[in-house]
Each structure stands twice: as C-alpha cells, then as structure tokens.
Amino acid sequence: MQSWIDLFIEQVKATTWLEWLAVLLGIAEVLLAKANKVWLYPTGIAATLISIYLLLNVALYAECMLSCYYVVMSFYGWYHWIKKRNEPPVKVSYANRQEWIVTLLIVFVGWGVLYLLLINFTKSTVPVWDAWVSSTAWAGMWLLARRKIENWILLNVSNLFAIPLLYHKNLALFALLTLFLFVVAIFGYLEWRKIIRAEQLAINLNLNGTDRTPICTDASPLG
C-alpha cells in the first residue's frame, strides 16, 4: 500500500501546469453540469482541448478520439440546450425506448469499432480497456447533450473503468479527477431527478387546477 501511495505522490509532483489547468477546468465543468448550467460546455471544450494533447503523449488513442468527439458533442449540446433565443431550453427528462436503443448501439458498436481501430492502426497496450472507457463515455455524452438523466449512469460506468486505466498510465491527477467526477455524477443524478419530479408535480398541479376551474357559458362580460 505504501508503495502505491509513494507512486501517487511522485506522479502528482511530476504533474505539469497543463495537467493542473485541465483538471481545474474539468472540475468546473462537472459542477456546472450538476447545477444544470449551460456554461458547462465552453468550460468543457477548453478542458478537452488540453486533454487531447496530454493523452496523445501517453498513447491513450481512444481517449483522444473520445475527446475529439466530446468537442463536437459539446457544440451540439450547447446548441441543443439553448436552441433559438425565443424558444425554451430543453428540459431534463428520462430517455425513451428509442434513445436507449441509440445509447446501447453507441456503447457496443462503438466499443467494437474503437477496438479494431486501436489494434490495427495504433500501438495501444490497452485496446479493450481504452475502447470500453471511450464508448461508454460517448453514450453518456450523447445523453447529456439531450438532457437525459441517464447520462450520469453511462458516464459513471466509464469513470469506474477510467480511474485504474489513468493511474496505470501514470496520470495520477487525472485519475483523482475522475474519482471526483464519479462522486459528483452520483449527486448530479439525484439533482436531476429532483428537477424532473418538481416539473412533473408542477404539471400535475396545473392540470388539477385546470380541471377545477369553473367553465362560464354566459357570453356576456363577467361583472
């Protein structure tokens, strides 16, 4: 155990300022996501661009592709959340059957495609692991862009496998950040569930209120 602690301390000491910046931006991003704030996207884009450079240096190629995908999905999500100025933002909700089918396709087809790309076109030493972390995160980010509460579940599946992978690649600070993201995602799920329940309660109250509203059949103005 002591040797693991010593190794972790050595890795933290060797952390560059770029890694610290990426980690701080990553923390800000997930806190904004938990708070359901659209500013999570520009913050996340900045963190991801730095991460791409750092991940390339340790040969985590699927993670790099994931990061590139994340940038694209961030712009898509940014637009999807805001939409047009005069339209309301997309509400938090549960994924429907069709969205779950798309999610599972992203996970398992993405896993297979990434694995094949890694073993045929890169020198990855962890192709299965790297591909799985990325494909589950892909699915989670797609759900996040559509404001589906299940995004937290898929992202935490990815985080669970990413923590030991990053530590294995001597990215101790990134592993620690991912552990933090894992914990925050749990609270993010609970927070979004409260939002959904509150909105559903408001809808039910409005419907009940409408049902109780007396209907006036007199065409003359009410006095």
Side-chain angles (χ1 to χ4, degrees):
M1 176 62 72
Q2 186 60 43
S3 61
W4 283 83
I5 296 174
D6 292 340
L7 177 60
F8 178 79
I9 293 173
E10 289 177 9
Q11 290 180 3
V12 171
K13 288 180 178 179
T15 301
T16 65
W17 69 269
L18 271 178
E19 289 178 63
W20 279 108
L21 180 59
V23 167
L24 292 174
L25 288 172
I27 293 172
E29 176 199 4
V30 76
L31 291 177
L32 288 167
K34 177 180 177 295
N36 200 30
K37 301 296 184 182
V38 73
W39 281 102
L40 78 97
Y41 284 110
T43 305
I45 289 169
T48 305
L49 292 175
I50 299 172
S51 298
I52 291 172
Y53 170 77
L54 296 173
L55 292 168
L56 278 173
N57 288 338
V58 294
L60 285 177
Y61 301 108
E63 289 284 297
C64 290
M65 288 187 280
L66 168 64
S67 296
C68 292
Y69 168 83
Y70 179 80
V71 172
V72 175
M73 288 300 294
S74 292
F75 281 110
Y76 166 72
W78 199 348
Y79 168 77
H80 194 69
W81 277 38
I82 298 175
K83 280 197 166 181
K84 296 179 182 178
R85 181 174 297 179
N86 296 326
E87 293 182 6
V90 179
K91 292 184 178 181
V92 174
S93 62
Y94 287 98
N96 57 35
R97 183 173 180 273
Q98 183 178 359
E99 287 165 334
W100 263 114
I101 291 173
V102 173
T103 299
L104 293 175
L105 285 174
I106 293 173
V107 170
F108 292 105
V109 175
W111 188 18
V113 170
L114 285 172
Y115 171 74
L116 292 174
L117 289 174
L118 289 175
I119 62 173
N120 288 300
F121 299 103
T122 74
K123 296 180 180 180
S124 175
T125 58
V126 284
V128 175
W129 204 350
D130 196 9
W132 174 254
V133 169
S134 296
S135 67
T136 49
W138 281 19
M141 288 188 294
W142 183 79
L143 290 169
L144 175 61
R146 302 184 67 83
R147 273 192 174 180
K148 301 300 177 180
I149 189 173
E150 293 89 350
N151 86 85
W152 298 110
I153 298 174
L154 270 296
L155 290 176
N156 256 2
V157 171
S158 177
N159 289 335
L160 188 63
F161 287 88
I163 293 169
L165 176 61
L166 291 168
Y167 191 81
H168 172 69
K169 286 293 185 175
N170 296 324
L171 290 173
L173 204 60
F174 272 30
L176 192 61
L177 169 63
T178 305
L179 177 61
F180 171 76
L181 300 182
F182 182 89
V183 175
V184 172
I186 296 173
F187 289 98
Y189 178 88
L190 297 175
E191 189 72 25
W192 282 32
R193 189 173 64 176
K194 288 181 182 178
I195 294 172
I196 293 174
R197 288 179 174 177
E199 290 178 348
Q200 188 59 53
L201 179 61
I203 292 172
N204 291 337
L205 289 174
N206 288 335
L207 289 175
N208 292 335
T210 301
D211 292 339
R212 292 195 299 269
T213 301
I215 299 175
C216 179
T217 58
D218 187 357
S220 63
L222 297 176

